[in-house]
Amino acid sequence: MEDTLKSLSMDYLNLLINGQAFSDVTFNVEGRLVHAHRCILAARSLFFRKFFCGAAAADQAAPAPGALLLDHLSPRSPSGASASSPRGSAAAAAPGAVIPVNSVSYEVFLLLLQFLYSGQVSLVPQKGEPRPGCGERGCWHTHCAAAVDLALDTLAAARSFGVEELALLTQKQLAGMVEKASIEDVMKVLMASRKQDLHQLWTTCSHLVAKSGLPPEVLAKHLPIDVVAKIDELRLKSSMSRRSPFLAHHHPHHPAGIEASSAAEIDEHHKIRRMRRALDSSDVELVKLMVMGEGLNLDEALALHYAVENCSREVVKALLELGAADVNHPAGPAGKTPLHVAAEMVCPDMVAVLLDHHADPNVRTVDGVTPLDILRTLTSDFLFKGAVPGLAHIEPNKLRLCLELVQSAAMVMSREDAHTAAAAVNAAPMYSEPPGGGGPVYNASGANTSMNLSLDNRMVYLNLGMDAQFGKMSDGGDGDDGGSRGQGGPSSLFSPHGFH
């Protein structure tokens, strides 16, 4: 049955492309003729059905369906009557009439017809195709400005022509694009969703704008004042609901302490928002100044957790090298460490840099779950269910690489623990005082020399091996935002619009 439907879809699409001999309606779009078939358009679109039935509507002295076309189709009869009149609508519906299409580009109109004929369409421009609005050479057009513009134009056309299935498909496409698009394009989609009353797309974009950290005065240059006010309100709600754990446990014992507590909370909120803005802009030096000059506690502010989930590998690495954050600090009610977060995100870059800075692969949450347990569960879901709950897209190579990194690190730590225990047991009978006095000297049992290879060195070797095998990781790169931002874990610690 599936093959039959696919064949039927291709046959109808071929009719649109090569069926000029059988067409009975012609559109003029940007000076180019498009031949189509009334019966198919009328069957698939209520808009076209009403338009082609304009003659019947004119006979009933009812408002002409052609009046619905307004700026979308502006057919003109030879006598000059417009489609907004009953006479013009009837003339437009007459066989042989060429119907001008205004305010819709040729490319978008073809996409609309392609969906009406076949039930499927690709809303992404051709890979590497030069397009206005995209200056990147060889761009794949997955989330660039040109891809966003095409999707927005298609969405507007689909809603104008009443093709709701295409409108829903385009909304899903845009929701995926904005996760990786520039903030300018996100604001563009935000305004389009507001204009067309698309609540879900509005929510997604408003959260992303709130998370961007752009101050209100900058947002006001691109967005209306009422939208900026809503973004600020969203940020305020987010900050109040995401207060740091140390604030929740502060209990003053007298009324004066309540006011002092409130002022301290506000001060800490401002610090955390500034810290996250700095991390979003990769300004780790500012975070360092806040630690040294303002007494910012990176663990209580969950700086490392936030950076792992929202920033690049280089930012996380620089933050770790400050030496002010505990790589194994548990956060939230579940007690997740940054490595738990990286494992849920299936991000090899983050997993590698955390392990390289002594993240414990065996640390457990409150429920007794280790990062290795998380990756094993994700692998099982992917292998046996074909999908991972909470992750829209997952790359098998990345999942396998994360699993092997954490497994190898766990094995290294297990062996070192065993060697340490063995050395402690054998230490008493295995040393003697040297002739010249001094401390004990171990004999050549090999127990201590086996630990000369540190975890850092082992991780370097492991990373090099994985690079050669998969070609996925770049130790000196600027971090793959697609690996860290694009795939939020199923139980994210931070909403898309956290402190800023």
Side-chain angles (χ1 to χ4, degrees):
M1 186 65 178
E2 184 178 348
D3 292 339
T4 302
L5 291 176
K6 186 180 294 185
S7 176
L8 181 65
S9 173
M10 294 303 298
D11 288 342
Y12 274 101
L13 183 59
N14 187 58
L15 183 65
L16 171 65
I17 299 172
N18 302 313
Q20 179 178 351
F22 306 101
S23 69
D24 54 4
V25 63
T26 303
F27 300 97
N28 185 339
V29 192
E30 296 181 340
R32 304 170 71 175
L33 298 182
V34 178
H35 304 280
H37 309 81
R38 294 164 178 262
C39 59
I40 295 178
L41 297 181
R44 295 279 288 150
S45 168
L46 181 62
F47 180 90
F48 281 110
R49 190 182 313 162
K50 289 182 177 181
F51 177 69
F52 292 134
C53 292
D59 293 339
Q60 297 177 3
L68 298 171
L69 302 175
L70 298 178
D71 293 332
H72 310 301
L73 300 176
S74 299
R76 293 277 178 180
S77 66
S79 61
S82 70
S84 59
S85 66
R87 181 184 173 193
S89 181
V98 177
I99 306 173
V101 180
N102 298 329
S103 75
V104 178
S105 69
Y106 176 77
E107 180 181 25
V108 171
F109 191 69
L110 279 187
L111 290 175
L112 178 73
L113 293 188
Q114 180 181 338
F115 183 81
L116 291 177
Y117 273 72
S118 67
Q120 55 187 355
V121 67
S122 174
L123 300 175
V124 179
Q126 292 287 335
K127 296 177 182 178
E129 175 188 7
R131 295 187 66 89
C134 180
E136 184 178 348
R137 196 172 176 184
C139 179
W140 282 36
H141 303 307
T142 55
H143 55 272
C144 64
V148 172
D149 289 341
L150 179 60
L152 285 175
D153 292 343
T154 305
L155 176 61
R159 289 179 64 84
S160 298
F161 284 93
V163 188
E164 289 303 320
E165 291 180 3
L166 179 58
L168 290 174
L169 179 65
T170 311
Q171 288 181 59
K172 292 181 181 178
Q173 183 89 8
L174 281 168
M177 283 182 178
V178 294
E179 294 290 343
K180 299 181 180 180
S182 67
I183 190 62
E184 291 82 2
D185 290 329
V186 174
M187 289 191 285
K188 192 188 306 179
V189 178
L190 176 71
M191 293 309 300
S193 62
R194 179 183 185 238
K195 181 179 180 181
Q196 300 184 43
D197 200 22
L198 305 174
H199 297 292
Q200 187 172 357
L201 194 57
W202 161 269
T203 300
T204 300
C205 293
S206 60
H207 286 179
L208 289 171
V209 173
K211 176 188 152 187
S212 69
L214 292 176
E217 55 270 21
V218 175
L219 293 177
K221 297 179 181 178
H222 304 273
L223 302 173
I225 296 300
D226 61 323
V227 176
V228 176
K230 290 181 179 178
I231 297 297
D232 278 344
E233 182 181 354
L234 191 61
R235 285 174 172 172
L236 180 61
K237 289 180 180 179
S238 172
S239 65
M240 294 303 292
S241 63
R242 295 279 180 181
R243 286 193 277 186
S244 298
F246 73 98
L247 295 177
H249 294 292
H250 183 73
H251 301 288
H253 298 287
H254 48 82
I258 295 177
E259 296 182 3
S261 172
S262 177
E265 286 184 6
I266 294 175
D267 182 58
E268 290 299 332
H269 283 316
H270 285 308
K271 283 184 183 179
I272 292 172
R273 291 174 67 181
R274 286 173 54 215
M275 177 202 72
R276 293 188 176 179
R277 287 181 188 175
L279 290 175
D280 286 336
S281 59
S282 303
D283 191 355
V284 181
E285 284 299 316
L286 177 57
V287 176
K288 181 179 179 180
L289 291 176
M290 293 180 68
V291 171
M292 298 175 64
E294 302 179 28
L296 176 66
N297 188 311
L298 295 183
D299 291 334
E300 291 178 342
L302 305 182
L304 195 52
H305 294 77
Y306 181 83
V308 167
E309 190 169 350
N310 297 278
C311 303
S312 68
R313 169 196 170 115
E314 291 306 310
V315 170
V316 173
K317 183 178 179 181
L319 194 61
L320 286 165
E321 290 175 350
L322 292 180
D326 179 7
V327 73
N328 294 312
H329 180 74
K336 294 179 182 177
T337 69
L339 188 57
H340 284 97
V341 176
E344 289 177 342
M345 292 165 53
V346 192
C347 180
D349 284 348
M350 294 301 177
V351 169
V353 74
L354 290 171
L355 290 174
D356 197 39
H357 288 79
H358 308 287
D360 187 354
N362 299 315
V363 67
R364 297 183 180 274
T365 64
V366 174
D367 297 328
V369 179
T370 68
L372 189 57
D373 294 333
I374 292 173
L375 291 168
R376 284 172 174 166
T377 301
L378 294 177
T379 303
S380 176
D381 288 341
F382 184 78
L383 292 177
F384 296 103
K385 299 179 184 178
V388 176
L391 289 178
H393 174 69
I394 187 170
E395 296 184 26
N397 283 346
K398 285 188 175 182
L399 179 56
R400 181 169 55 181
L401 183 53
C402 285
L403 182 61
E404 291 184 358
L405 284 169
V406 177
Q407 278 182 332
S408 299
M411 290 176 61
V412 168
M413 294 192 70
S414 177
R415 289 171 184 166
E416 291 183 350
D417 289 343
H419 291 155
T420 302
V425 171
N426 298 328
M430 292 175 61
Y431 73 90
S432 59
E433 289 289 333
V441 177
Y442 290 87
N443 65 8
S445 63
N448 291 331
T449 57
S450 63
M451 295 194 297
N452 288 339
L453 187 60
S454 68
L455 178 60
D456 287 345
N457 291 334
R458 290 172 187 259
M459 285 307 305
V460 170
Y461 298 147
L462 180 59
N463 288 344
L464 290 175
M466 293 302 102
D467 285 346
Q469 183 175 357
F470 298 109
K472 291 291 183 181
M473 297 174 55
S474 178
D475 221 21
D478 57 357
D480 182 6
D481 287 344
S484 58
R485 295 176 186 250
Q487 298 179 8
S491 54
S492 173
L493 284 170
F494 303 96
S495 65
H497 47 94
F499 285 109
H500 287 284

